[in-house]
Amino acid sequence: MAEIVRMPRLSDTMTEGTVAKWHKKVGDKISEGDLLADIETDKATMEFESFQEGVLLYIGVEESKTAEVDSILAILGDAGENIDEILKNDSATTSNDSKEPLVIKDDEDNPSDLFEQSKKITVDNKQNSKIESNFEPQVNDLESSSALQRKKVSPLAKKMAKDKGVDLNSLQGSGTYGRIIKRDIEKINSTLSGLNNNIGITHEKFQEIPLSQMRKTIAKRLATSKFSAPHFYLSMTINCDKLVDTRNSINAKKNTKISFNDIIVKAVSLALRENPNINSSWYDDKIKINDHINIGIAVAVDDGLLVPVVRYTDTKNIFQISSEIKTFVKKAQDKKLTPSDWEGSTFTISNLGMYGIDDFTAIINSPDSCILAVGGINDHPVIKNGKVIPGKLMKLTLSCDHRVVDGATGASFLNTLKAFLENPITIFV
């Protein structure tokens, strides 16, 4: 009996998902635990495995298309089973971007394969079995009209054309019945690559990039944070001479190399322990002062920013912290983070020092009440004992939600953090 596979809720804030890639096609036999699709959520792209088994009869959301949580993602059942009644009765199908079953998935040129894949067999109880085709080749369609919707385009070619900015209306397909396929797009790209790339653009030209689920969520959450939380900023300069020496000494003797960021994370956790009001969260009807210390680490990825969380940071040594951060960075870059990796922060650190940024201000990662922006360590002239000597300085900027944190509270935290970083031996005792 046919069963519906619905768009899953893969994070606590997810309201819709985008299918990044299908790993199965219509007609494939699916077993429980098989990888069905990669689904892009508001925070990451995650692998979705089947909890059911059967033949894949219907794909409700094409690749790169978006659908709401709980709408029809796919239907599994017995081969040849009629699913018209299921689609008719399920109201979730109205929210899908894809209105018809995705039958043709591969970029194939074989006429018999193309025709067989496009058939839909239904059984009429009042008559003998009847074969209906939802695809009737009409060469004249391509010859008589340049409208894109009347062209036959493989899904792969459509995606390649979108990525490369190719106008499909201008192409004549070389596939079966004039279908535009992969090699047609590759031929265009090959031709363009042979042109002189130094020729300037003499007409208006631009790209429109669809918003990813991650970028939509970043925009929504940061706009909410920036315009609802009254931010104020506190900056402090740290002398890093001893910090640099300490890190060099540790890395000279240890197989595992630690970064300045690792040390800063540990120092922040100790400073939060002494300044618990900074380790707090704002909710509309209450302020939560957290006893536990979970530090979110902002990690840049292609689509935006992810914030995996190092939990109970004050209880871990610097090598444990370093190992966790390295793991999180790799998982973030590979889009393998899970909801449990990014939930539950009580304080956030954003470090752009490695990109050559001297100082900046960061937007608070709600519901946290503060976020620390870390700039690079640079050589500066420093006055010491009445003499000008070279020194290594770093700028820290604390963004505070004034509904929770006052200026004196933030200043106390920064002074505590400064003491740890300028005397790093205290971090390790």
Side-chain angles (χ1 to χ4, degrees), residues 9-12 39 41-47 306-309 311 327-328 330-344:
R9 186 184 299 277
L10 298 175
S11 77
D12 54 340
I39 297 178
T41 74
D42 53 345
K43 295 179 178 176
T45 300
M46 304 177 68
E47 295 178 342
L306 294 173
V307 187
V309 179
R311 301 178 186 280
T327 300
F328 281 141
K330 182 67 166 60
K331 289 176 70 175
Q333 292 171 344
D334 294 342
K335 298 185 177 181
K336 299 295 185 182
L337 288 175
T338 63
S340 61
D341 293 329
W342 63 65
E343 294 170 351

Side-chain angles (χ1 to χ4, degrees), residues 7 11 56 86 122 138 143 173 208 212 239 250 366 395 421:
M7 176 66 73
S11 77
L56 182 56
I86 293 177
T122 61
Q138 296 183 18
E143 296 173 349
E208 289 188 355
S212 66
N239 187 306
I250 292 173
S366 297
K395 191 76 154 299
L421 292 175

Side-chain angles (χ1 to χ4, degrees), residues 53-242:
E53 58 182 29
V55 175
L56 182 56
L57 303 175
Y58 174 86
I59 287 177
V61 187
E62 296 183 40
E63 287 187 3
S64 78
K65 297 294 185 179
T66 299
E68 295 180 357
V69 168
D70 291 333
S71 58
I72 292 182
L73 180 66
I75 297 178
L76 303 181
D78 298 325
E81 187 172 354
N82 192 330
I83 60 173
D84 290 346
E85 195 66 24
I86 293 177
L87 295 175
K88 181 179 178 181
N89 292 337
D90 196 285
S91 60
T93 56
T94 60
S95 65
N96 284 352
D97 288 326
S98 176
K99 303 298 183 184
E100 298 178 359
L102 180 60
V103 179
I104 302 173
K105 284 292 297 177
D106 294 326
D107 201 30
E108 298 180 7
D109 293 335
N110 188 299
S112 61
D113 289 346
L114 186 64
F115 187 74
E116 288 299 320
Q117 287 181 17
S118 66
K119 288 182 178 179
K120 180 178 67 177
I121 302 176
T122 61
V123 178
D124 191 328
N125 292 332
K126 297 181 181 179
Q127 303 174 2
N128 293 330
S129 62
K130 174 176 66 175
I131 298 180
E132 298 178 353
S133 174
N134 62 6
F135 171 66
E136 297 180 2
Q138 296 183 18
V139 179
N140 291 335
D141 280 352
L142 292 175
E143 296 173 349
S144 61
S145 173
S146 63
L148 178 58
Q149 62 268 25
R150 303 185 69 182
K151 284 184 178 292
K152 305 296 185 290
V153 185
S154 76
L156 179 57
K158 186 180 295 184
K159 184 177 186 303
M160 290 176 64
K162 182 178 180 181
D163 293 342
K164 301 295 183 182
V166 175
D167 182 9
L168 292 174
N169 287 315
S170 63
L171 295 185
Q172 178 69 40
S174 62
T176 306
Y177 308 116
R179 188 169 180 239
I180 297 173
I181 59 176
K182 176 183 177 182
R183 66 166 172 256
D184 298 318
I185 308 300
E186 290 178 334
K187 184 178 179 180
I188 290 291
N189 291 338
S190 175
T191 301
L192 292 176
S193 65
L195 299 177
N196 184 354
N197 292 327
N198 293 322
I199 298 176
I201 302 298
T202 59
H203 59 279
E204 291 187 4
K205 184 178 180 181
F206 58 88
Q207 297 182 52
E208 289 188 355
I209 303 174
L211 290 178
S212 66
Q213 292 300 110
M214 183 187 300
R215 181 54 63 185
K216 288 179 184 178
T217 301
I218 289 172
K220 181 179 179 180
R221 293 191 64 186
L222 293 186
T224 299
S225 174
K226 182 66 174 178
F227 299 121
S228 65
H231 286 53
F232 73 92
Y233 309 96
L234 301 172
S235 296
M236 183 170 281
T237 300
I238 309 297
N239 187 306
C240 295
D241 291 341
K242 292 181 181 178

Side-chain angles (χ1 to χ4, degrees), residues 388-406:
V388 178
I389 61 173
K392 297 184 179 298
L393 304 181
M394 174 176 64
K395 191 76 154 299
L396 302 179
T397 302
L398 183 68
S399 302
C400 305
D401 183 345
H402 216 327
R403 297 173 300 182
V404 187
V405 175
D406 296 324

Side-chain angles (χ1 to χ4, degrees), residues 12-58:
D12 54 340
T13 57
M14 178 180 172
T15 59
E16 59 183 14
T18 300
V19 176
K21 179 180 180 181
W22 278 102
H23 293 279
K24 301 292 183 180
K25 62 180 182 293
V26 170
D28 283 354
K29 172 68 176 173
I30 309 297
S31 300
E32 185 175 347
D34 282 355
L35 180 60
L36 274 182
D38 293 339
I39 297 178
E40 181 185 332
T41 74
D42 53 345
K43 295 179 178 176
T45 300
M46 304 177 68
E47 295 178 342
F48 178 63
E49 297 179 353
S50 177
F51 296 98
Q52 298 139 286
E53 58 182 29
V55 175
L56 182 56
L57 303 175
Y58 174 86

Side-chain angles (χ1 to χ4, degrees), residues 399-420:
S399 302
C400 305
D401 183 345
H402 216 327
R403 297 173 300 182
V404 187
V405 175
D406 296 324
T409 307
S412 174
F413 167 78
L414 282 179
N415 277 293
T416 304
L417 180 58
K418 178 183 176 76
F420 279 121

